[in-house]
Structures are given as C-alpha cells and as structure tokens.
Amino acid sequence: MEDQGMRIMGLDLSMKCTGVCFPDDSTALIKPRGDGDRRLLSIEERMTAALRVARPQLAVIEDDPGLFRGASAKVIPMVHATVRLVLMRSGVPFVLVNTKTLKLYATGHGGADKASMAVAALTYAGREFTGDKGGDQCDAWWLRAAGHAAYGEPVVRVPKANMDALREVAWPTLPGAPAPVFAPPPAKQTRRRRRVAA
C-alpha cells in the first residue's frame, strides 16, 4: 500500500519485541540485541535508524497503562523513556493512546485480546500479520490507523462507535498537517471548597 497523506508511524513498545508500522503501511519487529539494560542501547540504535528511513510527521505510541507487576513494571517504563528520547532528538512529535482506547477503536471492546485485534484487522482491512505471535505488529498497525483516522484520513472503515473512542486522545495540532477531527478531551474541573468564616 502506498503512503496515504500524513506520514504516521505506529509503535507498540516492548523490551523483547517492539512492533512498528511504517508510514507506507508495512510492519516490522525490533528485537534488541544484548542482555539486561544493554538492550536499551540496541532499541535506541534501531529506533533511530527506523525514524531516519520512515521520516514520520507523528508517532502514535500505545501508552504504558502503569498496571504491570514484577520485572515488567520496571522494564516497560525504561523502554518508553528510551524511545521518547529518540523521538525528541529526531524532532518527531508523538501521541499516546491508551490500551483500552486502542482496543475500543479496533474491535469495539475495551477488553479485547490479541486474537480479536488480529481478526478485526482481517475483517476491516484484509490485513494479516504472519508470524506475529505476540500481536506486536498488529497493534502497531492499529496505532497508525488510529492516527490517520484522527486527522481525517482513515485507512480503514470501522463503526462510528469505534471511532468515538479516539476522542479520549489529546491529538496534537501539527504544522503542515490537517487539523485533528476530534476536539481535545475536556479538562477535568476541580471543585473549589468554600471557606466558612469563623
């Protein structure tokens, strides 16, 4: 598939295997070399190379929900920090999409599993991801699709209820790009307590 409008990249981050969807709709996996924290150096190197090739206007990242336990609770934030630094150094804006929001957009169900995400990609777009056991490429593909939908350039047609899930994301206004079709989510208002005179 050829580039469609904006150059958007989808990233499903992981220490073991990061899913990437490039602006031309192709997908790949980044499997870092090395052991322990040295894998972060490999992720930094490979992500820098990927950005150099892809030249994206925006990266859409699946957010760290902060619900991990054990080793994952320490590792996942380190991967996110590494990739965000690479993006900032490369001058690439990024936006975070909550895991539940992505699942709602793709399947209509916030608790959908990896298999359901793959079925949705096949149903709506005829896309299959061979050898994608962890669903990393599939998730990255849906992240890119969400980005295009948010800027009025849908690459896949999903029900309106699914689309509405993307209203929860704070899509940035980008120079030289269409305006986001969704208004920013309303700011949470805090109630002021009245002081009672003594």
Side-chain angles (χ1 to χ4, degrees):
M1 185 180 294
E2 297 179 355
D3 290 3
Q4 299 191 24
M6 291 179 63
R7 297 186 62 79
I8 297 178
M9 196 172 188
L11 298 173
D12 181 30
L13 305 181
S14 167
M15 181 70 93
K16 293 182 179 180
C17 187
T18 286
V20 180
C21 185
F22 291 95
D24 67 355
D25 200 48
S26 63
T27 59
L29 296 173
I30 293 178
K31 297 182 179 181
R33 297 183 298 268
D35 299 311
D37 289 352
R38 295 198 66 81
R39 290 176 292 177
L40 295 170
L41 294 172
S42 181
I43 290 172
E44 179 184 24
E45 176 186 320
R46 295 184 177 201
M47 189 60 66
T48 299
L51 291 174
R52 192 178 298 122
V53 172
R55 298 176 293 106
Q57 292 172 271
L58 177 70
V60 184
I61 304 174
E62 186 169 1
D63 197 8
D64 168 14
L67 301 176
F68 295 104
R69 295 181 180 181
S72 295
K74 298 178 181 179
V75 170
I76 295 297
M78 289 193 293
V79 176
H80 274 254
T82 299
V83 172
R84 292 187 200 188
L85 281 171
V86 171
L87 289 166
M88 287 187 283
R89 285 172 180 157
S90 300
V92 178
F94 61 87
V95 62
L96 305 176
V97 175
N98 182 279
T99 301
K100 181 178 179 181
T101 297
L102 183 66
K103 292 178 177 182
L104 283 168
Y105 168 63
T107 71
H109 302 284
D113 58 16
K114 297 289 187 180
S116 298
M117 296 287 283
V119 168
L122 181 61
T123 301
Y124 292 126
R127 283 300 305 264
E128 292 185 89
F129 305 92
T130 305
D132 189 30
K133 294 180 180 179
D136 305 298
Q137 292 180 84
C138 181
D139 284 356
W141 183 86
W142 276 113
L143 288 162
R144 174 181 175 267
H148 276 285
Y151 290 90
E153 301 176 345
V155 295
V156 59
R157 299 289 179 182
V158 297
K160 182 180 181 301
N162 295 32
M163 282 284 292
D164 285 343
L166 300 181
R167 296 182 184 278
E168 297 300 316
V169 180
W171 300 101
T173 299
L174 303 170
V181 296
F182 301 114
K188 293 183 180 179
Q189 296 181 348
T190 55
R191 293 183 179 180
R192 294 183 179 179
R193 294 182 178 179
R194 294 184 179 178
R195 293 183 179 181
V196 179

